[in-house]
Amino acid sequence: MSLPEIVPRADWRAAREALLAKEKAATRARDALSAERRRLPAVEVGTEYVFEGGDGKATLLDLFEGRDQLVVHHFMFAPEWDAGCPGCSAFLDQIGHLAHLRARGTSFAAVSRAPYPRILPFKARMGWTLPWYSSYPGDFDRDLEATVERDGQPLDRAGLSCFLREGDRVLHTYSAFGRGLDGLGSADSLLDLTALGRRDPRGGVRHHDEYDL
């Protein structure tokens, strides 16, 4: 890998200004894409999925924790594995403090096909405290297309799915897989995938231990 060309400061400044114009155009295009994403139609989730987590059995509605939005990370962890996907693990490592999502009425949870007793020791090994649920042996991952069939065998895909709650109704609003997760991890980047987008928390952005959650 070669080093960049070394030039005088004035030449660097001119090149930087030219690139900045393209960066601003990309930002405007990304904002427009996020607005279009928020206008996507939604589909009601009619299946009563059952998950297992740290507090026992839970429904999809329970994963909202009383908030009106939910972002689910489809974490690749097959039932027969002893450890989760390294790439999915690297993604979870980048997730910031959940208070910044929760202050905007949005919950976050990881979901895997592995039984919860397999997830628990790996979660402890990684030092994660965020909510993580097992969908085993249900069809949640297949129905959300996070698990697909290849040569007659289930194949998991890393992904994110967004849900919106209207009373007791759960609406599926968006999903992304593979390269669609590039650049995601911050609260704002995850909120850009949701139907309600970036919402300022009551009282504005604060230190994570100052939110009244």
Side-chain angles (χ1 to χ4, degrees), residues 51-96:
F51 306 89
E52 184 177 359
D55 295 325
K57 300 297 183 181
T59 66
L60 185 57
L61 190 62
D62 292 331
L63 271 58
F64 281 78
E65 300 176 324
R67 302 180 182 93
D68 55 11
Q69 293 198 128
L70 169 68
V71 177
V72 167
H73 177 215
H74 299 286
F75 190 109
M76 295 169 59
F77 198 153
E80 66 274 14
W81 294 0
D82 293 321
C85 161
C88 294
S89 299
F91 180 83
L92 276 195
D93 282 337
Q94 299 174 65
I95 298 296

Side-chain angles (χ1 to χ4, degrees), residues 107-151:
S107 292
F108 179 92
V111 172
S112 299
R113 287 195 303 123
Y116 193 68
R118 284 186 177 270
I119 292 173
L120 196 56
F122 181 70
K123 180 181 179 183
R125 170 188 161 188
M126 294 292 99
W128 295 324
T129 59
L130 52 78
W132 194 349
Y133 296 88
S134 167
S135 60
Y136 182 85
D139 293 326
F140 176 77
D141 305 273
R142 287 182 173 84
D143 291 348
L144 271 293
E145 301 180 11
T147 300
V148 296
E149 295 292 326
R150 178 173 293 178
D151 298 327

Side-chain angles (χ1 to χ4, degrees), residues 156-192:
D156 290 341
R157 300 194 293 168
L160 288 170
S161 288
C162 300
F163 302 90
L164 183 66
R165 183 172 68 90
E166 184 184 45
D168 290 337
R169 299 174 70 202
V170 176
L171 308 177
H172 175 216
T173 60
Y174 183 75
S175 287
F177 301 95
R179 290 294 303 276
L181 275 62
D182 284 1
L184 300 178
S186 69
D188 283 347
S189 68
L190 295 176
L191 289 167
D192 280 346

